[in-house]
Amino acid sequence: MKGTYLGEFEEVVLLAVAIRSGDAYGATVVTEIEQQMKRSVNLGAVHSALNRLGEKGLVTSELGGMTAERGGRRKRLYSVTAAGRRALEEIRQVRNQMWESIPNTIWM
Amino acid sequence: MKSRWAKYLIRWFFAPHRADELEDDLDELFQQRVELIGLRQARWRYVRDVISLMRPSLMRPSLLKQQLTNEYPQPFFLTPTMISNYVKIAWRNLMRAKGYASLNIAGLAVGMAASALIFLWIQSELTYDRFYTKTDRLFQVYNRDIFSGNAQVWGTTPKPLAPALKQDYPDIEDAIRFRPTGFLLTAGDKKLNSEGAYADPSFLNLFDFSLLAGNREKVLSGNNGIVITKALAEKLFGTTDALGKVVQLDHKNSFSVTGILDDLPTNTQFSDVSFLLPWTAFVTPSWDSDGWASNNNYTFVLLKDKVNSDLVDEKIKRLTANHLKGVVEDVTNRQIFLHPASQWHLYSKQENGQLTEGKIVTVRLFGIIAALILLIAAVNFINLSTARSEKRAKEVGVRKVAGAQKSALIFQFISESVLLTFLSGILALLLIVLCIPTFNDVTGKQLSLSFGSISFWGAALAFVLFTGLLAGSYPAFYLANFQPVKVMKGISQSVHAVFSPRKGLVIAQFTFAIVLIIATLVIKHQINYAQNRESGYDRNNLLFSYLSGDLPDHYGSLQQELIQRGAAVAVSKSLGPITTISSRQWGLSWPGSTKADKDIEFDRFAADADFLKTTGTKLIAGREIDVRQYPTDSSAVLLNETAVKTMHLKTPIGATVSFDNRNWQVIGVVKDFIFASPYEAINPVLVHGPKGSVPLSWTSIRLNPANTTAQNLELAEAVFKKYNPGYPFEYTFADESYKAKFADEQRTSLLTSLFTGLTIFISCLGLFGLAAYTAQQRTKEIGVRKVLGASIPSIIGLLTKDFIQLLVIAFVIGAPIGWYAMDQWLQDYNYRIAIGAGVFVLTLLSSLVIVMLTVSFQAIKAALVNPVRSLRSE
């Protein structure tokens, strides 16, 4: 396949990062996915996916500022890069295209 | 809240810059989930998350080092080709250094053989009485009571106990009576004195010894059936096919053989039993009542499955006491309890009314010694290998440069030492086979190697592997750690370090040897000391015989004829042999005695006449018992010096002593003589005339010194046969049974000497190798010194100095340990030596001599080498 291939889980994680933009880190991504998809997700899987997305250049991370709520420690905040956004849009576009190609008759 | 292990795991596993963040994520999710799904579920998810985080991408870089640095894949080092390569290299190295290899193999072989023998012994001790299918449910009943303030336990029980236990306690599946006995067995013209026992019918159900013929349930239920062992059947009938044949006991009752037992294993307390008789055939002798007051039998109990013996103990505790109320004066402290089969052999030492650790202490001690001997052999191996390491250093360097991994090198060196150990193992097996008969003689066991069983070979292989790893691991790691850059440049490890592990190990070896040498010397001294103690009677030419069969009826004629025919100069009828205590008596009273004096225990002996003349004991005052001349002497009594002292009698002669419900007249005082153990203080002794409650069923005979022993015995046998034709003439010499009192100590002495010898031998092998190595390494130095004018003795001194130093250090460590251990050992003996300085001087001197002899051979060799030869190469 040409370009960057996104796995299903990677796609979900990427979406979650986008949803939580500005507040996306391991734990929030996990809760976001769990709430949206009503399924339990392993933290390790999420971090692994974030890593891979980072390697592919679809997310970047930076160490956020300290907050009292996090016990004074810094957290790694993820954000979707331009490439990431393009990848999501491409997927969405492909999906839409495919939806539209379904002949109406089969639903009858 | 969260588990601590997870925190450590995270810290260890993750890259530090990620750990904080991951931990925070975990915390936050946990908090949320506690509210959402509850604490337990949240915890569970926490664990799952931690595990799911274990991914290479998050791993600490150092854990990934190998993967990062190795750009080319490493071939796996355990391929068949590589293994055969290791073996080949190992073999070549062996062949290249034959002397070194044979030292190593010999040392290991001797060490392995010795420790394997000891382990065999330990195994036989540990399996003692533990191999019955119902072992965990088998118990022996013991009594406990307090006598004059001392709690005591004993294993003989009243006759009605077993039936009562079986009937009244549902927890108890079965209870049997058991009573050892001895008879003269006659079958046709074969006569044999034999040890056996009476037992209830279910004996063979409790103790499942294998029955070769007969019905297990029924063999002991008749009235006149006898079960005999295979060995006894062969002796009596010449065949094991003996069912139904007739055996006569003591020329009286006849029994027919109802069962043949396979010979009993040696590691059971029943190993002496060679026949079993039904309990119903047992006739109670006059002095042994059928009631609850007489303790003369053993009671064995089989508990029901899953019954707690402590609870049973609690229930049966007062059983005998309740039956003894009104019969025995004070039963408030009398108890009975169960002693489990698994502890009969190893945990049966009485202490303050408890049965505690007994032989298990010896077993542990032997275990430690075996381990130490093996360790010493391994230490030799380690020392020789590391000493020789420089020879192998280049090889290590080349292998490493060529890309060998450390693990591969370690594996190579370990496989080399395992190969060596394997060769030693074969040699050790040979040694064991050669030594086992002697070892069995010394330990009184029947150990053997079961070559047929797979588990034996498995154990042997495991032992070899274990020894190989023990000896080979340290050298392997040591060698594999060499830095290629250094060894290829020729930089050697420092040889003259103030403290090297090698020196420490040599000191440890020497220390062990020194402790053992001290032990050997002290034990030998102690035995000599006791052997030289005045026994108080003349042990030569004195023998004892039990008055069996018709002899008690013809005793007068027997005695007269023995003297008339010239076989003996004096004959005396007595309670037992003078070398053992046959009876004890307390509850005596005499003029001036107090109530407390009733608790004093007297050793009791009885004789009719000529007691002094026969035994050679010395009279101090008064005269001796002679019922032939003075019939009233049958209630006369002699005291020994200790008795007079204990009783505070100013004028003992003529005093009246009461015991056995009778008054006895003191007619003489004898010099103290050793009745019991030559290591113990002498007890007060009573020698009384025949009128007491004890039977005089032995005769002591003072042989005629004018004849040879053989002539005397021949004459005596003729007389005995004349009056007692049905029985063989059996006798014991006093000097032999006196010697037997030292048997235990002699055995200990022999074993310690053996261990000491082995330890010294193995240590010397190692020392020999080390000395050779040092000498070789310093060849050039010695050459230079000689050229510059050093004398040969000074060079020998140079080479031996180091070893002497180590020995002295070991002595300083070992001497106090040895002193302490032996002082503890001596505490068991009342009559004992004090450990003097002589022992330590002797130890130091002898070990110095040994070390010098071992080392100087190499030193002299090195010193005599012509310097031209050693220096030629430069």
Side-chain angles (χ1 to χ4, degrees):
Chain A
M1 189 176 281
K2 207 176 166 284
T4 317
Y5 171 75
L6 267 190
E8 186 262 352
F9 190 65
E10 284 172 355
E11 184 189 339
V12 172
V13 171
L14 193 53
L15 282 168
V17 173
I19 295 168
R20 285 287 186 131
S21 79
D23 186 32
Y25 53 91
T28 48
V29 172
V30 169
T31 27
E32 189 59 43
I33 299 173
E34 286 186 343
Q35 278 166 9
Q36 298 264 359
M37 301 187 76
K38 309 271 183 272
R39 83 178 208 204
S40 109
V41 171
N42 282 335
L43 183 60
V46 167
H47 270 285
S48 163
L50 285 170
N51 252 350
R52 265 178 280 134
L53 290 171
E55 278 167 15
K56 289 173 186 170
L58 304 182
V59 296
T60 55
S61 68
E62 54 177 353
L63 288 175
M66 285 180 277
T67 58
E69 165 192 19
R70 296 214 61 171
R73 283 184 292 203
R74 279 143 67 91
K75 54 190 170 178
R76 182 180 299 272
L77 293 175
Y78 291 84
S79 51
V80 183
T81 59
R85 195 187 151 162
R86 208 175 314 126
L88 283 175
E89 277 169 356
E90 259 171 38
I91 288 171
R92 190 175 180 179
Q93 205 189 325
V94 170
R95 298 270 151 88
N96 286 343
Q97 211 176 301
M98 288 171 84
W99 268 105
E100 277 157 23
S101 315
I102 302 172
N104 279 339
T105 44
I106 73 158
W107 302 122
M108 315 282 280
Chain B
M1 184 181 84
K2 317 171 307 193
S3 41
R4 188 166 293 208
W5 62 265
K7 243 182 187 146
Y8 286 121
L9 200 62
I10 293 166
R11 292 276 154 205
W12 172 78
F13 188 84
F14 297 126
H17 68 281
R18 301 298 303 268
D20 266 358
E21 155 206 347
L22 294 171
E23 218 176 292
D24 280 343
D25 281 341
L26 285 165
D27 281 356
E28 197 174 320
L29 285 173
F30 181 81
Q31 301 283 14
Q32 285 177 17
R33 284 179 180 139
V34 170
E35 282 158 35
L36 269 170
I37 51 180
L39 187 65
R40 250 191 57 186
Q41 287 289 325
R43 273 203 185 129
W44 178 230
R45 283 300 313 265
Y46 185 86
V47 174
R48 259 179 61 188
D49 278 340
V50 169
I51 292 167
S52 77
L53 280 167
M54 298 284 170
R55 292 164 190 264
S57 58
L58 298 168
M59 210 190 267
R60 180 183 275 275
S62 67
L63 294 172
L64 287 164
K65 199 167 142 202
Q66 264 175 330
Q67 282 183 357
L68 294 175
T69 48
N70 284 335
E71 286 181 36
Y72 300 100
Q74 279 283 335
F76 187 53
F77 64 88
L78 283 183
T79 52
T81 331
M82 283 312 280
I83 290 175
S84 75
N85 178 262
Y86 296 145
V87 173
K88 213 181 281 170
I89 297 280
W91 183 253
R92 283 177 191 163
N93 268 310
L94 254 174
M95 289 295 112
R96 195 181 305 149
K98 286 202 188 74
Y100 150 82
S102 45
L103 278 183
N104 256 345
I105 292 177
L108 271 181
V110 172
M112 283 168 82
S115 50
L117 273 177
I118 301 173
F119 285 134
L120 271 180
W121 178 86
I122 290 176
Q123 192 209 13
S124 110
E125 286 290 291
L126 290 182
T127 51
Y128 222 92
D129 279 326
R130 288 195 190 183
F131 48 83
Y132 312 113
T133 42
K134 294 163 189 159
T135 299
D136 50 335
R137 295 196 280 139
L138 281 172
F139 296 83
Q140 186 183 345
V141 184
Y142 266 78
N143 289 289
R144 178 185 291 132
D145 205 343
I146 297 173
F147 295 110
S148 50
N150 295 320
Q152 301 231 346
V153 285
W154 71 98
T156 46
T157 44
K159 281 193 203 100
L161 179 63
L165 285 171
K166 194 172 162 182
Q167 208 168 40
D168 301 340
Y169 298 89
D171 288 339
I172 293 172
E173 185 173 314
D174 204 352
I176 58 153
R177 291 160 294 187
F178 182 85
R179 181 190 181 98
T181 184
F183 281 114
L184 178 79
L185 306 185
T186 319
D189 55 349
K190 290 269 172 56
K191 289 188 170 63
L192 214 59
N193 265 316
S194 233
E195 299 294 316
Y198 293 101
D200 272 322
S202 47
F203 176 80
L204 288 174
N205 179 33
L206 265 65
F207 302 97
D208 43 7
F209 297 117
S210 71
L211 200 61
L212 299 177
N215 180 333
R216 185 173 289 275
E217 311 295 322
K218 288 185 188 148
V219 280
L220 286 171
S221 50
N223 247 339
N224 45 15
I226 184 171
V227 179
I228 59 177
T229 59
K230 198 172 104 188
L232 185 62
E234 266 159 12
K235 277 186 211 152
L236 284 175
F237 305 107
T239 166
T240 54
D241 181 25
L243 276 192
K245 296 196 174 174
V246 174
V247 184
Q248 205 181 22
L249 308 190
D250 273 356
H251 297 296
K252 285 175 202 134
N253 304 322
S254 292
F255 288 80
S256 66
V257 176
T258 51
I260 308 284
L261 268 181
D262 199 358
D263 290 338
L264 299 185
T266 44
N267 52 349
T268 138
Q269 62 162 340
F270 303 107
S271 57
D272 282 344
V273 169
S274 60
F275 63 83
L276 289 171
L277 290 165
W279 185 265
T280 42
F282 177 54
V283 184
T284 305
S286 57
W287 43 268
D288 173 12
S289 90
D290 271 337
W292 284 86
S294 194
N295 292 299
N296 280 303
N297 312 284
Y298 300 110
T299 304
F300 295 108
V301 163
L302 177 69
L303 292 187
K304 285 205 175 124
D305 218 5
K306 295 193 185 91
V307 168
N308 182 342
S309 67
D310 290 339
L311 297 179
V312 179
D313 270 354
E314 196 51 40
K315 286 180 202 161
I316 63 172
K317 193 162 79 177
R318 301 292 303 163
L319 183 59
T320 8
N322 290 339
H323 284 277
L324 284 173
K325 266 179 201 149
V327 183
V328 171
E329 222 173 287
D330 180 15
V331 292
T332 44
N333 296 311
R334 177 75 62 99
Q335 284 181 6
I336 57 172
F337 65 96
L338 300 177
H339 188 43
S342 58
Q343 299 196 355
W344 288 344
H345 185 62
L346 296 172
Y347 298 84
S348 283
K349 191 183 170 191
Q350 292 199 28
E351 221 172 79
N352 303 324
Q354 300 290 336
L355 292 168
T356 58
E357 302 189 328
K359 288 211 179 87
I360 188 75
V361 178
T362 321
V363 171
R364 280 189 205 131
L365 190 71
F366 271 42
I368 293 172
I369 288 179
L372 281 175
I373 288 181
L374 193 65
L375 209 62
I376 279 196
V379 162
N380 271 353
F381 189 98
I382 293 169
N383 277 346
L384 289 177
S385 310
T386 52
R388 272 186 84 259
S389 60
E390 266 162 73
K391 300 219 158 180
R392 303 292 300 272
K394 286 242 163 68
E395 180 192 336
V396 173
V398 171
R399 276 177 183 273
K400 278 199 168 174
V401 168
Q405 275 176 326
K406 206 167 132 189
S407 49
L409 280 170
I410 291 172
F411 185 80
Q412 182 209 331
F413 288 120
I414 285 185
S415 61
E416 202 171 310
S417 56
V418 168
L419 179 76
L420 218 79
T421 324
F422 194 74
L423 295 177
S424 312
I426 296 170
L427 203 62
L429 208 61
L430 219 76
L431 276 174
I432 295 173
V433 171
L434 284 175
C435 294
I436 234 175
T438 324
F439 189 70
N440 279 341
D441 276 354
V442 176
T443 55
K445 289 216 174 253
Q446 289 183 341
L447 306 174
S448 62
L449 296 178
S450 36
F451 291 109
S453 85
I454 296 170
S455 60
F456 164 74
W457 290 108
L461 204 66
F463 188 54
V464 166
L465 275 178
F466 172 75
T467 315
L469 287 177
L470 184 71
S473 298
Y474 177 73
F477 281 95
Y478 180 79
L479 280 166
N481 250 342
F482 281 154
Q483 299 293 314
V485 180
K486 281 190 187 164
V487 290
M488 302 292 270
K489 271 186 179 167
I491 301 169
S492 65
Q493 315 296 111
S494 72
V495 184
H496 299 291
V498 181
F499 181 84
S500 65
R502 204 178 310 149
K503 282 182 179 171
L505 291 174
V506 170
I507 291 175
Q509 274 186 326
F510 281 168
T511 307
F512 183 49
I514 276 168
V515 171
L516 281 177
I517 295 175
I518 293 174
T520 316
L521 291 175
V522 170
I523 294 171
K524 288 231 153 87
H525 279 185
Q526 167 70 0
I527 294 175
N528 279 344
Y529 183 66
Q531 264 172 344
N532 292 332
R533 188 180 185 186
E534 179 65 45
S535 71
Y537 55 90
D538 185 1
R539 306 194 293 270
N540 302 313
N541 272 325
L542 178 63
L543 60 80
F544 314 107
S545 181
Y546 180 70
L547 295 171
S548 52
D550 303 329
L551 287 176
D553 300 335
H554 301 288
Y555 175 70
S557 328
L558 176 87
Q559 180 246 338
Q560 270 176 5
E561 204 162 320
L562 279 172
I563 294 171
Q564 271 165 17
R565 288 214 202 175
V569 288
V571 178
S572 175
K573 190 156 78 162
S574 58
L575 172 65
I578 198 172
T579 47
T580 43
I581 302 168
S582 306
S583 178
R584 285 221 152 128
Q585 182 74 46
W586 65 93
L588 271 73
S589 56
W590 60 87
S593 68
T594 62
K595 194 157 184 269
D597 285 340
K598 289 212 177 224
D599 280 344
I600 298 175
E601 272 198 323
F602 286 74
D603 291 344
R604 182 172 172 181
F605 196 74
D608 62 342
D610 286 340
F611 167 69
L612 297 169
K613 203 175 163 195
T614 313
T615 56
T617 36
K618 308 244 165 21
L619 194 68
I620 288 181
R623 60 172 185 85
E624 75 164 309
I625 298 172
D626 187 354
V627 288
R628 289 170 209 141
Q629 209 177 334
Y630 312 102
T632 52
D633 269 10
S634 58
S635 57
V637 65
L638 302 174
L639 300 174
N640 73 346
E641 291 170 291
T642 308
V644 174
K645 242 177 273 163
T646 323
M647 295 160 84
H648 303 293
L649 289 174
K650 290 231 167 57
T651 46
I653 312 287
T656 308
V657 182
S658 308
F659 60 92
D660 258 13
N661 304 319
R662 187 173 273 112
N663 288 331
W664 303 78
Q665 211 71 34
V666 179
I667 59 162
V669 177
V670 293
K671 202 167 178 311
D672 279 344
F673 58 91
I674 298 173
F675 222 154
S677 161
Y679 299 105
E680 296 305 312
I682 287 171
N683 280 340
V685 173
L686 303 165
V687 182
H688 62 77
K691 215 170 195 166
S693 60
V694 288
L696 273 61
S697 44
W698 284 76
T699 176
S700 311
I701 300 169
R702 165 70 52 195
L703 296 177
N704 187 354
N707 298 338
T708 64
T709 311
Q711 283 169 332
N712 281 329
L713 286 175
E714 203 179 316
L715 288 169
E717 181 165 14
V719 180
F720 270 80
K721 282 274 174 211
K722 179 178 168 190
Y723 293 106
N724 195 24
Y727 288 76
F729 174 47
E730 289 187 336
Y731 53 84
T732 325
F733 279 101
D735 52 354
E736 277 169 12
S737 55
Y738 192 76
K739 221 185 271 169
K741 292 175 192 287
F742 300 93
D744 269 355
E745 283 73 17
Q746 297 283 18
R747 190 173 292 168
T748 316
S749 166
L750 199 63
L751 284 175
T752 346
S753 312
L754 203 73
F755 294 150
T756 314
L758 277 175
T759 309
I760 292 175
F761 175 73
I762 300 173
S763 309
C764 282
L765 279 185
L767 212 54
F768 190 78
L770 271 185
Y773 163 76
T774 324
Q776 195 190 12
Q777 211 182 28
R778 296 170 80 172
T779 320
K780 292 237 162 76
E781 181 198 336
I782 293 164
V784 172
R785 278 174 191 266
K786 278 183 86 172
V787 168
L788 293 178
S791 67
I792 289 175
S794 79
I795 287 171
I796 296 173
L798 182 79
L799 287 171
T800 46
K801 195 186 71 198
D802 283 354
F803 292 104
I804 301 293
Q805 248 173 20
L806 297 182
L807 175 69
V808 170
I809 296 173
F811 180 78
V812 170
I813 302 170
I817 300 175
W819 175 82
Y820 178 75
M822 291 328 286
D823 194 55
Q824 291 297 106
W825 181 76
L826 283 172
Q827 296 308 315
D828 280 351
Y829 301 101
N830 245 315
Y831 186 80
R832 61 172 181 251
I833 54 163
I835 306 176
V839 170
F840 298 101
V841 174
L842 201 60
T843 305
L844 185 60
L845 286 181
S846 57
S847 51
L848 271 176
V849 169
I850 293 166
V851 169
M852 288 295 283
L853 282 178
T854 316
V855 175
S856 60
F857 174 77
Q858 300 289 358
I860 292 168
K861 212 171 89 180
L864 290 180
V865 169
N866 188 346
V868 173
R869 274 181 58 198
S870 56
L871 294 177
R872 194 163 42 194
S873 60
E874 273 168 34

